[in-house]
Amino acid sequence: MELKNVSKAYGDKRVLEDFSAVFAPEKIYALMGPSGRGKTTLLRLILGLEKPDAGEIRGVPPRKAAVFQESRLCGELTVPGNLRLVLGSRFPDAEMERVLHALHLTDCLDIPAEKLSGGQARRAALARALLYRGDLLILDEPFTGLDENNRESALEAIRRFRGNATVLLVTHSREDAEALGAEIIEI
């Protein structure tokens, strides 16, 4: 995947200017930089949710999974219901259970998503993205709101269940980037 001279502005506020990068398949990258530098905007451009004002984005895999800054779960559905919404009814239960167990979510499976704690919702969103098995895994600050134990579990789940996906992680934590063996790209 290649980004060449990508620029994006919102009105008079230029968020990205002439950003270029090449992302090799199956590698993990951490996009880092101060708040407001365009990291989330860059992810939205790669996902096709927004169009760049200038530049080119090529080679984005068609099958993408994402954890956004907000968990984006359907509030009336349980965690399994949210997963099934994306994965379909034929997705193997055992595979789902392995990821839910790894993310310490097995004690809240009957609770509607709107009643989950912030950390539970983050982990449910991560489970959904990991189980989708995209070729590109976008993670926008996925560890926000997680205590140390759940953060470690989430890091381990990413290492264990990402498959061969290229990972683009937005984080402010160099420690998290290093724990995933990510190549750091400053924005």
Side-chain angles (χ1 to χ4, degrees):
M1 185 170 56
E2 181 180 5
L3 286 76
K4 190 172 182 181
N5 303 109
V6 174
S7 296
K8 180 69 178 175
Y10 299 102
D12 293 337
K13 182 175 166 108
R14 187 154 293 284
V15 180
L16 282 173
E17 189 157 358
D18 289 325
F19 179 81
S20 296
V22 175
F23 299 104
E26 301 183 18
K27 286 192 69 180
I28 300 176
Y29 297 91
L31 306 174
M32 300 186 74
S35 295
R37 275 282 173 80
K39 297 177 298 295
T40 295
T41 297
L42 180 63
L43 297 181
R44 292 179 58 78
L45 292 168
I46 290 168
L47 287 168
L49 300 174
E50 295 190 37
K51 300 285 184 212
D53 297 332
E56 199 174 351
I57 300 173
R58 294 189 303 222
V60 178
R63 192 164 168 87
K64 301 170 279 292
V67 174
F68 296 94
Q69 285 183 353
E70 317 80 28
S71 296
R72 297 193 181 178
L73 301 171
C74 291
E76 68 280 0
L77 297 178
T78 62
V79 172
N82 271 279
L83 298 180
R84 289 271 175 228
L85 190 63
V86 172
L87 303 172
S89 61
R90 294 185 178 170
F91 194 86
D93 287 337
E95 208 169 326
M96 230 172 40
E97 289 166 10
R98 275 194 296 278
V99 173
L100 292 172
H101 180 73
L103 289 169
H104 306 290
L105 285 168
T106 55
D107 62 342
C108 62
L109 298 180
D110 296 328
I111 301 171
E114 64 196 2
K115 303 230 187 251
L116 296 174
S117 72
Q120 289 170 325
R122 288 309 281 161
R123 288 178 283 136
L126 179 58
R128 180 181 56 198
L130 289 170
L131 286 164
Y132 183 70
R133 302 278 194 272
D135 298 312
L136 176 62
L137 180 58
I138 301 277
L139 303 172
D140 196 353
E141 300 188 36
F143 311 117
T144 301
L146 299 185
D147 61 32
E148 187 61 28
N149 184 45
N150 284 315
R151 184 184 138 278
E152 287 295 328
S153 296
L155 285 163
E156 178 56 31
I158 293 167
R159 286 190 292 264
R160 185 172 163 200
F161 297 112
R162 77 177 179 97
N164 294 325
T166 301
V167 177
L168 299 183
L169 165 72
V170 168
T171 183
H172 292 283
S173 168
R174 200 164 284 277
E175 182 183 342
D176 290 342
E178 290 170 358
L180 289 172
E183 179 179 323
I184 295 173
I185 296 178
E186 295 287 341
I187 295 185

